[in-house]
Amino acid sequence: MDTKASRTVSVEQKAPKVVKRPHKTGALYRFFHGLTHYNTGSRPRVWELDLFRGALMLFVTLDHVVNFGFQLGFFDFKTPAMIWFADNVLRVYLDSSFRVGIQPFGLFIFSFLSGISCSFSDSSIKRTIKMVVLCGVYMGVFALIHVFMPDLVTSYFIFNIINVLTICVLTWDLFDLIKLPTWCRTVIGLVIGAVGLTYYFSYFVRGTAYIENEVLALLVYNRHALELVQNFEPLFPHMGFFLLGGVLGGIVYSDKKSKTKSETCILPLRPLAIMGKNSLVTYLFLPVIVLALIWVVEKFVWLFI
């Protein structure tokens, strides 16, 4: 008799066995997977912020490539066309007032966007420790390069946007820990921004900003800081923009979701979004990769350039 139980056993016997493959969850795998995949986490990313940050990172990468390319002699081209390009495009950009004037505003915007992102990210001691460690390693490598290449890196100490953002994230986490009200964060951000922009005007327009104390000199734009540090970006007004971005992000992105109709970035722009998602990695390593490729081409494919 064909009972229900016998039919169930028969179906189970005929069904193919599913072999479960071990899921790769190692830290190294997740790191490289995150570099090449976008919006694969449990919660969709606010991709428009990543896109804006990625566009800024692209500009910063090109700027660093041009700057260090000339310093390292990577643009020693052989053909008339590439020599003309290096002299009339790359060199003109490097020496232009546009480059000097636009750089600070790009970093102001980047700090503001980073503050927005930080506002709806879960505060994590692990994340903060990673940033502190990364900042420490970065400063250590910079000092080490100074030892071996003093003509290229003229100081042991570096204080740029990585240092600034690390301090900003630490400050934001502290505000979250003590539950500082939004209005207090807004006032602090406005004051820091106003002080920083005042010194920005005094340094870039009047050329009179100078702070004698070596610690306080790292807070704002001034000539003494540039004498102490080769690669310098002040804490003010960047922290002000970061805090104001955090306040705005908590209001606009209170639901932690994208404000666009699409849940993810369109495919042609996704590389920029990936760069923005991994902005610190992009900042540190993409210029090195591009310069290495230029060096290889210049040395071994010189016939074409």
Side-chain angles (χ1 to χ4, degrees):
M1 182 174 62
D2 186 17
T3 62
K4 182 177 181 181
S6 64
R7 289 197 303 271
T8 303
V9 172
S10 177
V11 171
E12 290 178 349
Q13 289 175 346
K14 294 180 180 179
K17 292 183 179 180
V18 178
V19 180
K20 293 185 177 180
R21 296 182 179 179
H23 183 61
K24 298 179 181 180
T25 56
L28 190 62
Y29 172 82
R30 291 198 303 270
F31 173 77
F32 285 104
H33 185 271
L35 292 180
T36 55
H37 294 73
Y38 188 74
N39 247 0
T40 55
S42 58
R43 187 174 65 196
R45 295 185 61 84
V46 181
W47 64 266
E48 61 267 29
L49 296 179
D50 288 337
L51 184 64
F52 289 139
R53 288 196 298 180
L56 288 172
M57 283 298 97
L58 178 62
F59 175 78
V60 169
T61 297
L62 295 176
D63 180 84
H64 285 176
V65 166
V66 174
N67 185 28
F68 290 109
F70 276 111
Q71 290 188 33
L72 296 171
F74 284 6
F75 298 139
D76 186 19
F77 298 129
K78 308 296 189 300
T79 62
M82 291 307 298
I83 293 173
W84 180 91
F85 179 75
D87 292 340
N88 295 278
V89 177
L90 300 181
R91 177 68 71 181
V92 168
Y93 163 76
L94 188 64
D95 298 333
S96 67
S97 300
F98 169 80
R99 177 176 181 263
V100 176
I102 202 66
Q103 276 185 330
F105 289 97
L107 292 176
F108 295 164
I109 296 172
F110 184 75
S111 299
F112 184 75
L113 294 174
S114 297
I116 295 177
S117 297
C118 189
S119 69
F120 53 75
S121 299
D122 297 328
S123 294
S124 169
I125 296 178
K126 185 177 179 181
R127 176 201 65 185
T128 306
I129 291 176
K130 282 183 178 180
M131 289 196 66
V132 172
V133 171
L134 174 65
C135 183
V137 171
Y138 180 58
M139 294 176 69
V141 171
F142 186 87
L144 190 63
I145 294 175
H146 170 71
V147 174
F148 294 99
M149 303 176 68
D151 293 335
L152 178 65
V153 177
T154 58
S155 65
Y156 285 101
F157 186 63
I158 185 172
F159 195 89
N160 65 6
I161 195 64
I162 291 182
N163 308 71
V164 168
L165 290 181
T166 300
I167 296 173
C168 288
V169 171
L170 280 168
T171 303
W172 188 265
D173 287 346
L174 176 62
F175 286 172
D176 283 345
L177 183 64
I178 64 177
K179 301 186 184 306
L180 191 70
T182 299
W183 70 268
C184 287
R185 305 184 193 208
T186 304
V187 171
I188 293 173
L190 288 172
V191 171
I192 289 176
V195 172
L197 289 176
T198 299
Y199 273 90
Y200 167 82
F201 177 81
S202 179
Y203 174 74
F204 280 100
V205 179
R206 295 181 176 177
T208 58
Y210 191 91
I211 295 181
E212 190 67 37
N213 186 280
E214 294 184 357
V215 176
L216 295 179
L218 298 177
L219 293 181
V220 294
Y221 288 103
N222 68 98
R223 287 185 290 111
H224 191 197
L226 291 174
E227 295 169 0
L228 298 171
V229 184
Q230 179 180 1
N231 193 340
F232 172 70
E233 295 296 337
L235 189 61
F236 298 176
H238 294 92
M239 180 180 278
F241 285 106
F242 183 94
L243 295 177
L244 293 176
V247 170
L248 182 64
I251 298 172
V252 176
Y253 292 100
S254 57
D255 56 356
K256 302 181 180 181
K257 295 181 180 179
S258 173
K259 298 306 171 185
T260 63
K261 294 181 180 179
S262 175
E263 188 175 271
T264 188
C265 182
I266 61 174
L267 188 59
L269 296 177
R270 199 166 297 172
L272 280 180
I274 293 175
M275 289 173 62
K277 175 186 175 182
N278 306 283
S279 54
L280 288 181
V281 175
T282 301
Y283 179 88
L284 289 174
F285 296 109
L286 188 56
V288 177
I289 294 173
V290 175
L291 284 171
L293 292 174
I294 291 174
W295 181 83
V296 169
V297 171
E298 198 273 329
K299 292 297 182 183
F300 300 102
V301 200
W302 60 268
L303 179 64
F304 301 102
I305 59 172

